[in-house]
Amino acid sequence: MVDMSPADGPADGGLLAGLRQTGTLAWRTLLQIRHNPWELGDFSIQPVLFLLLFLFVFGGAIAGSTADYLQFILPGVIVMNMVFVTVYVGHGLNTDLTKGMFDRLRALPIARWAPLAGRIVADLVKQAWSIILLLGVGFLLGFRLGTSPLGLLGMALLVLTVALAMSWIMVLVGVLARDPEHVQLFGFTALFPVTFVSNVFVPVETMPGWLQVVVAVNPVSQLADAARGLLVGGPVLGPALWSLAWALGITAVFAPLSVRALNRRLARG
Amino acid sequence: MRRMSEAIHVEELHRSFGATRALAGVDLSVRRGSVLGLLGPNGAGKTTMVRILATLLRPDAGRAVVGGHDVVSQAQRVRQLVGLTGQYASVDEKLTGRENLVLIARLLGQSRAAARARADELLREFELEHAAARAAKHYSGGMRRRLDLAASLVGRPEILFLDEPTTGLDPRARLSLWQLVRRLVAAGTTVLLTTQYLEEADALADEIVMLDHGRVIAAGTADQLKARVGARSLVLSLTDESQLPAVAALLEAAGGQPPQVNGRQISVPACDAGLLRAVVRRLDESGLKVDEIALRSPSLDDVFLALTGHATGEDGGEDGGYVPG
């Protein structure tokens, strides 16, 4: 028999089909939340709890009043929470890899990048939800927008951009870790110092000099500064550009590393 | 020219993981609409073979053609034809049975309505309707395998890979899965099945390929393989274990060959058709009591032991696909 089919092309239907598959896979990740409401709590209750605790426990001592501290802490908590939520990418990816779901997906005639992209897109939805939630609670507590709705939108976009970049780090962790628990362990062990050695919770002035240097270059500080500028007022351009530079740098380093590690893991059997 | 009658064609397939050779030059061929049983102990290379055929893994050397398409250069076309159910190709435990099936149907490009209809159809067919709205992690082992199988059938594949589909299942769940596989085959699906259970290959497969350490050590129908071990044997089950030595002596005297003892069972090769009669007569005369006398054809276990020198369960290594590289 003569094979009449054309030479093998992207039988998956190209970019558009790939994007649709990514959407479907993102929907799947979000659907998981419906059956595991505690997961929603993880990125809903936890950040709100953080905000309330820091606000009412430390607010008076750090800023003189909770009202003043709210103006300082809300953008910080938004950034801190973003960093933690990226762990879900690694955790979910690792679960798929270890439980065999990734193989199921790879055996389907879909775009090769769709499973990974689906994870990352779902994560961005979770990120957006957290930002909206924190802003909502913030406004209820009396947060005053010092800029404009445009500034608020800019803050959200900037935080999401950096989240996208940081997701690549967690993709790498998710690929390299033995099981999902290790992703969480590694994720939080590495991320706690990164978020706390920053200007998220307190102004840097009271820290020892050497620490101030570390805090100043920490991308979390840069992003928190930019977020404050965009929500409350103050310098925006400098910290925003630094944040974007960090995002670009992290992506340039970790995206290829992650993809390579993933391919190596898959080739291992 | 490709032969239409061949669903899977594999030539000289090699795959190593580091220093471990999972596949060391395997040839095999599966007729369209037939069931091939790939049989072997852990570490024989079965899973590696399935993963290569399902395009999840690239071979180091050799060629594999599935449904007329090369698994490396035409991988995406192969994926459109095959379904994979395996120890390692799983479902999303956090989603319900129905959601899992809808997800795959949607990924295959079906509309929302079509995806739901297909999912419901499969749930009905696999007797999972009652659990359709439950998360897969709450399924029993048998239900879980049925869902796995259903998930690999969403796109109505022509060729189905089943990687140890009943490992860890209780006998009832195993039989129910066998029934499902038989139904698929009756409907024209080609099946490549890996198993450690000789009984399973015997029950389902038209042809069997035995793998050991990445090589084919035997191939043919179950009957052909059994014929390679040769004679049937006469098996006696005793009521009273203390009579074993007497019965053994009697068997040796009647058949001329030393019998094998296994618990209360005692067996002797039955090359001669007259043996059964001779044994019955002697038993009668001696007054010894037996529960059962049977002429038994060799099992595939016997075949494996005869061909490899070790039993199927003895090789404790991990399966070839999962040797860390």
Side-chain angles (χ1 to χ4, degrees):
Chain A
M1 201 202 100
V2 182
D3 190 351
M4 296 292 288
S5 58
D8 193 49
D12 46 54
L15 184 66
L16 213 64
L19 289 175
R20 211 195 52 233
Q21 291 149 5
T22 300
T24 303
L25 286 165
W27 162 78
R28 164 227 166 189
T29 304
L30 297 171
L31 201 56
Q32 291 178 341
I33 299 168
R34 217 173 74 188
H35 304 292
N36 301 271
W38 54 266
E39 220 176 85
L40 187 70
D42 253 13
F43 56 86
S44 305
I45 298 170
Q46 193 176 291
V48 172
L49 212 62
F50 254 114
L51 179 64
L52 295 177
L53 280 175
F54 272 93
L55 185 60
F56 291 113
V57 177
F58 297 135
I62 294 173
S65 76
T66 52
D68 286 339
Y69 190 52
L70 181 62
Q71 296 299 104
F72 182 82
I73 188 78
L74 183 67
V77 169
I78 288 174
V79 170
M80 178 203 75
N81 187 59
M82 175 278 283
V83 175
F84 285 131
V85 169
T86 58
V87 175
Y88 287 102
V89 177
H91 188 267
L93 179 65
N94 189 274
T95 307
D96 280 356
L97 284 168
T98 47
K99 295 266 170 89
M101 185 63 187
F102 211 77
D103 278 348
R104 162 83 67 205
L105 297 176
R106 285 203 309 139
L108 295 174
I110 59 173
R112 299 295 88 190
W113 44 268
L116 191 56
R119 275 268 159 229
I120 293 175
V121 170
D123 186 64
L124 286 180
V125 175
K126 290 180 188 173
Q127 294 281 11
W129 160 254
S130 294
I131 294 173
I132 292 168
L133 185 76
L134 279 170
L135 282 172
V137 174
F139 282 124
L140 281 180
L141 291 169
F143 182 78
R144 298 175 312 277
L145 186 64
T147 55
S148 65
L150 215 62
L152 193 145
L153 190 69
M155 182 281 302
L157 288 177
L158 184 66
V159 171
L160 288 178
T161 306
V162 178
L164 183 64
M166 290 194 64
S167 296
W168 284 112
I169 302 177
M170 282 305 142
V171 169
L172 184 65
V173 175
V175 170
L176 295 179
R178 200 164 357 113
D179 53 49
E181 286 67 37
H182 277 83
V183 176
Q184 223 143 15
L185 197 70
F186 177 91
F188 289 118
T189 315
L191 293 178
F192 255 108
V194 172
T195 47
F196 275 79
V197 182
S198 74
N199 61 11
V200 161
F201 302 106
V202 290
V204 293
E205 288 77 31
T206 57
M207 299 180 192
W210 61 270
L211 195 60
Q212 287 192 26
V213 178
V214 179
V215 169
V217 296
N218 186 346
V220 174
S221 304
Q222 298 290 346
L223 187 58
D225 272 341
R228 282 187 190 115
L230 285 162
L231 286 181
V232 185
V236 170
L237 196 63
L241 283 178
W242 270 115
S243 300
L244 288 173
W246 267 110
L248 207 67
I250 289 171
T251 308
V253 172
F254 283 92
L257 274 181
S258 301
V259 171
R260 216 180 61 153
L262 181 61
N263 286 333
R264 281 178 68 153
R265 176 167 178 153
L266 295 175
R268 215 169 57 200
Chain B
M1 283 284 279
R2 272 183 204 112
R3 278 179 292 155
M4 264 309 277
S5 60
E6 239 182 358
I8 301 171
H9 181 85
V10 172
E11 262 175 41
E12 266 299 294
L13 212 60
H14 288 261
R15 175 70 210 218
S16 297
F17 300 97
T20 315
R21 296 175 77 185
L23 294 176
V26 172
D27 298 299
L28 60 83
S29 157
V30 186
R31 270 183 303 115
R32 217 166 269 273
S34 74
V35 182
L36 180 88
L38 204 55
L39 184 63
N42 277 332
K46 304 184 300 290
T47 295
T48 304
M49 175 60 98
V50 167
R51 291 174 66 81
I52 288 175
L53 292 177
T55 76
L56 295 180
L57 201 62
R58 280 166 174 256
D60 293 334
R63 205 164 73 97
V65 178
V66 173
H69 302 291
D70 188 277
V71 295
V72 177
S73 62
Q74 299 173 303
Q76 205 67 310
R77 292 204 175 281
V78 171
R79 290 180 194 122
Q80 290 173 330
L81 299 176
V82 306
L84 171 65
T85 298
Q87 322 173 60
Y88 304 106
S90 184
V91 294
D92 188 332
E93 293 185 334
K94 290 182 180 172
L95 299 191
T96 67
R98 179 180 280 115
E99 284 164 352
N100 265 296
L101 299 177
V102 169
L103 168 71
I104 290 172
R106 295 285 287 154
L107 286 173
L108 292 174
Q110 297 183 13
S111 71
R112 221 170 285 235
R116 276 198 211 117
R118 180 67 180 140
D120 287 337
E121 186 184 349
L122 284 164
L123 288 165
R124 213 166 29 244
E125 206 174 316
F126 286 76
E127 290 166 26
L128 290 168
E129 273 173 311
H130 64 287
R134 214 184 306 159
K137 66 179 165 198
H138 299 306
Y139 279 25
S140 71
M143 287 162 65
R144 178 58 196 273
R145 295 301 172 92
R146 294 210 298 277
L147 180 62
D148 277 351
L149 185 55
S152 63
L153 294 174
V154 171
R156 301 175 202 277
E158 290 172 27
I159 299 163
L160 186 63
F161 301 118
L162 301 174
D163 191 14
E164 305 209 1
T166 64
T167 300
L169 288 189
D170 62 58
R172 231 188 70 191
R174 173 174 302 169
L175 281 178
S176 121
L177 208 87
W178 285 3
Q179 284 303 324
L180 290 169
V181 173
R182 288 200 182 103
R183 263 199 344 241
L184 290 169
V185 175
T189 311
T190 306
V191 174
L192 187 145
L193 154 109
T194 80
T195 181
Q196 300 183 48
Y197 304 120
L198 306 158
E199 186 199 353
E200 185 160 270
D202 205 0
L204 292 176
D206 299 307
E207 282 187 67
I208 294 170
V209 167
M210 284 186 156
L211 278 187
D212 193 36
H213 297 295
R215 288 176 198 283
V216 175
I217 53 165
T221 63
D223 287 339
Q224 282 168 349
L225 292 179
K226 287 175 188 169
R228 286 183 63 165
V229 182
R232 295 185 295 179
S233 48
L234 187 66
V235 185
L236 283 75
S237 304
L238 304 193
T239 340
D240 182 358
E241 229 167 310
S242 66
Q243 295 187 339
L244 258 177
V247 176
L250 182 147
L251 281 176
E252 191 159 1
Q257 291 189 56
Q260 282 196 326
V261 178
N262 183 6
R264 277 160 186 251
Q265 282 202 338
I266 181 160
S267 65
V268 68
C271 317
D272 172 11
L275 181 69
L276 178 61
R277 207 155 23 108
V279 169
V280 171
R281 201 184 57 236
R282 279 165 192 255
L283 278 173
D284 210 23
E285 286 164 3
S286 67
L288 292 166
K289 283 218 168 74
V290 295
D291 256 356
E292 196 186 332
I293 303 183
L295 268 174
R296 194 167 67 87
S297 293
S299 72
L300 284 166
D301 280 298
D302 300 328
V303 182
F304 207 89
L305 191 63
L307 289 170
T308 63
H310 61 86
T312 49
E314 278 173 22
D315 196 323
E318 284 190 30
D319 203 328
Y322 282 79
V323 175

